[in-house]
Amino acid sequence: MSYHKNLTIGLFGFGVVGEGLYSILKQTPSLKARVKKICIKHPDKKRNAPSELFTTDKNELLDDPEINVIVEVINETEAAFDIVTTALRNGKDVVSSSKKMLAENMPALLALQRSTKLALLYEAAACASIPIIRNLEEYYDNDLVQSVKAIANGTTNFILTKMFEDKLDFKQALLLAQQAGFAETDPTLDIEGYDALNKWTILLNHSYGIVERPENIVFTGIQNINQNDAAVAREKHYEIKLVAQAKKLKNGGVAAFVLPQFVNQQDQLAFVKNEYNGVVIESGFSDKQFFYGKGAGSFPTGSAVLSDISALRYDYHYEYKKLYHHQENQLTHDFFLKVYLSYDNGVYIPKEKFEWIEEWHADLKRNYLIGVLAFSELKSDQWWKENNISMILAPEPIIEDVEIRKLKKKSLELAGITL
Ligand code: HSE
């Protein structure tokens, strides 16, 4: 018995991802998915597909009753939202790779999915070729996920690798990432952490059923990381990675943030280099699993879109089990972080905000300290992103509120201070 639907696709966008997808679809005729029309913005560009496929009129796709799937891989957030919502309202299943649009509009999109009962799939929007959303939805479809940590942005990981292993400077490394097509059109979205944050917002929903606006999650990128930080990392046998993470704490809440972190060389994430992404999931009884794959680029992203298209043949939907069917999870701010801070000028470091400081270093080039801060100190204002301060988390950064007193006492005793 075969219950596969025939798919007639309207494709929006023919850039890095769209063209990759088109070429992949041509090489997989077994899928029986046909691209009927491609909507583009600039009709004069030369394209690697027959010219009769292209149009600049979105309604030729959205109003065509024969088209039953809209695939949207464009760059503009508002236009993507308009396309996706119109397509769902017009009775079409949708595949999207617009992570920013998805992250910023999740409540409205969830409501529309529920009312239309149509599919909106977006595996390509988080960690590109790694099938992480489908795994979180299907394999980890229970309450047992304890922690998830990920390298979710290929460009920043590529830059860090090139800076620290090949000694390229930041600008050269970024240029290479741009030439390879990994970087966003506006690369500050990568460098300052926005892209990883958007992906993390999406993955928090599938990991824990938490739907949160991106601006409510603490994050930064790699913009302030410098060669002196790299020297400290080397001395301590660490690597620096931009890590998105979430962890269920003993107080019942979920700690979540996207921040640079020192990782031990034995950590699975240390293995993730260049434009690759990696995700480590720790769950109840299975201990740790590590997912690894290309997180950016034409074919890796196209392959995730292809997998979603393929899933539509048998009417696959995300069920959002953790959101709709499990005990509610919420973000918590009641925990502490062990951080490394390097800085040019100590006047910008609010020492009184620290629970304790266990290392101070000063030399002619740069100063740094290692100490423990309440997470709420990072939420309330942005001092740690400003004045050329570089903040990098320690390898196991989270200290739960139930542990803080004991650890503080121990740390002060080591420093010769008794409470
Ligand atoms: N700019 C993104 C990255 C592309 O570097 O990860 C893939 O989402």
Side-chain angles (χ1 to χ4, degrees):
M1 184 185 84
S2 162
Y3 55 97
H4 291 169
K5 275 208 272 196
N6 279 330
L7 304 177
T8 306
I9 297 173
L11 172 63
F12 282 85
F14 205 70
V16 173
V17 182
E19 188 172 347
L21 172 70
Y22 181 75
S23 151
I24 293 173
L25 275 172
K26 272 204 316 199
Q27 293 167 56
T28 41
S30 58
L31 210 62
K32 297 204 171 60
R34 172 175 76 97
V35 176
K36 184 174 177 191
K37 269 277 161 224
I38 306 173
C39 186
I40 43 155
K41 226 167 57 175
H42 303 291
D44 305 329
K45 267 196 206 165
K46 208 175 138 26
R47 320 265 176 183
N48 283 326
S51 60
E52 62 274 16
L53 280 180
F54 293 97
T55 176
T56 52
D57 178 5
K58 62 180 180 175
N59 296 325
E60 268 192 54
L61 286 65
L62 293 167
D63 293 339
D64 182 339
E66 201 199 353
I67 290 178
N68 54 1
V69 178
I70 291 292
V71 176
E72 172 283 301
V73 290
I74 66 171
N75 258 327
E76 296 85 23
T77 304
E78 275 176 35
F81 182 68
D82 179 50
I83 290 162
V84 168
T85 50
T86 310
L88 288 170
R89 284 198 194 97
N90 289 2
K92 302 179 193 308
D93 289 322
V94 177
V95 177
S96 168
S97 68
S98 294
K99 49 235 165 147
K100 186 166 183 288
M101 181 279 290
L102 292 158
E104 288 176 356
N105 294 288
M106 199 41 88
L109 294 170
L110 287 169
L112 201 53
Q113 284 179 74
R114 284 205 119 182
S115 64
T116 59
K117 300 197 171 46
L118 289 157
L120 167 59
L121 305 181
Y122 42 81
E123 189 64 72
C127 301
S129 74
I130 304 177
I132 190 62
I133 297 180
R134 207 88 67 81
N135 270 294
L136 285 167
E137 277 288 299
E138 307 306 327
Y139 184 85
Y140 302 94
D141 64 340
N142 47 49
D143 287 327
L144 299 174
V145 174
Q146 284 171 349
S147 72
V148 188
K149 52 181 190 168
I151 292 173
N153 179 269
T155 300
T156 45
N157 204 50
F158 182 89
I159 294 173
L160 290 171
T161 308
K162 294 292 174 223
M163 276 174 76
F164 298 158
E165 292 189 5
D166 303 345
K167 306 279 183 311
L168 291 188
D169 73 24
F170 198 104
K171 279 198 181 135
Q172 281 175 305
L174 171 60
L175 192 65
L176 285 180
Q178 286 175 306
Q179 283 165 351
F182 308 143
E184 298 299 302
T185 315
D186 171 5
T188 54
L189 291 175
D190 296 299
I191 293 160
E192 297 185 8
Y194 293 95
D195 181 71
L197 171 71
N198 288 330
K199 291 165 177 164
W200 207 233
T201 308
I202 296 169
L203 290 182
L204 269 178
N205 184 0
H206 295 279
S207 306
Y208 292 104
I210 292 176
V211 178
E212 189 56 83
R213 292 200 56 80
E215 63 268 25
N216 291 338
I217 296 170
V218 168
F219 80 103
T220 193
I222 62 166
Q223 64 272 30
N224 291 346
I225 291 182
N226 55 64
Q227 288 293 353
N228 294 315
D229 299 334
V232 174
R234 270 192 289 272
E235 207 178 279
K236 294 180 182 287
H237 305 290
Y238 294 151
E239 306 238 344
I240 300 172
K241 297 287 182 191
L242 181 61
V243 183
Q245 57 196 298
K247 185 177 181 188
K248 187 124 192 208
L249 302 188
K250 294 193 184 92
N251 68 15
V254 173
F257 43 85
V258 179
L259 294 168
Q261 184 176 338
F262 287 130
V263 299
N264 279 312
Q265 278 163 357
Q266 301 73 30
D267 190 308
Q268 289 86 351
L269 293 184
F271 177 74
V272 181
K273 310 271 187 193
N274 293 313
E275 79 275 25
Y276 281 81
N277 283 185
V279 186
V280 180
I281 300 182
E282 220 168 337
S283 87
F285 302 102
S286 52
D287 205 348
K288 276 186 192 172
Q289 284 101 30
F290 175 41
F291 298 78
Y292 170 77
K294 283 197 171 159
S298 182
F299 288 145
T301 314
S303 92
V305 177
L306 181 82
S307 174
D308 282 348
I309 293 173
S310 172
L312 288 177
R313 291 180 308 159
Y314 43 92
D315 277 330
Y316 178 74
H317 292 56
Y318 299 143
E319 287 178 54
Y320 299 99
K321 297 187 192 87
K322 290 160 202 149
L323 179 63
Y324 297 134
H325 305 306
H326 293 176
Q327 202 185 343
E328 190 189 357
N329 279 310
Q330 274 177 347
L331 291 181
T332 178
H333 301 148
D334 290 336
F335 63 96
F336 298 81
L337 285 174
K338 188 163 175 180
V339 304
Y340 153 103
L341 279 178
S342 77
Y343 48 93
D344 302 330
N345 191 336
V347 298
Y348 297 120
I349 305 296
K351 299 169 191 77
E352 70 288 352
K353 289 184 190 283
F354 282 78
E355 295 300 308
W356 70 86
I357 292 174
E358 53 191 51
E359 271 186 65
W360 288 97
H361 289 263
D363 68 26
L364 288 176
K365 281 201 218 141
R366 197 143 164 98
N367 314 297
Y368 74 83
L369 64 82
I370 296 173
V372 172
L373 276 168
F375 182 71
S376 51
E377 298 292 358
L378 304 181
K379 275 243 29 121
S380 51
D381 68 63
Q382 305 277 297
W383 59 270
W384 51 279
K385 286 191 191 182
E386 289 157 4
N387 299 306
N388 208 19
I389 296 172
S390 159
M391 188 180 84
I392 303 174
L393 299 179
E396 296 294 336
I398 297 176
I399 302 174
E400 303 211 25
D401 50 2
V402 288
E403 295 163 351
I404 192 78
R405 274 178 204 289
K406 211 169 63 193
L407 282 170
K408 183 172 188 174
K409 190 159 174 274
K410 205 160 118 194
S411 159
L412 292 176
E413 277 168 9
L414 279 175
I417 305 162
T418 33
L419 285 175

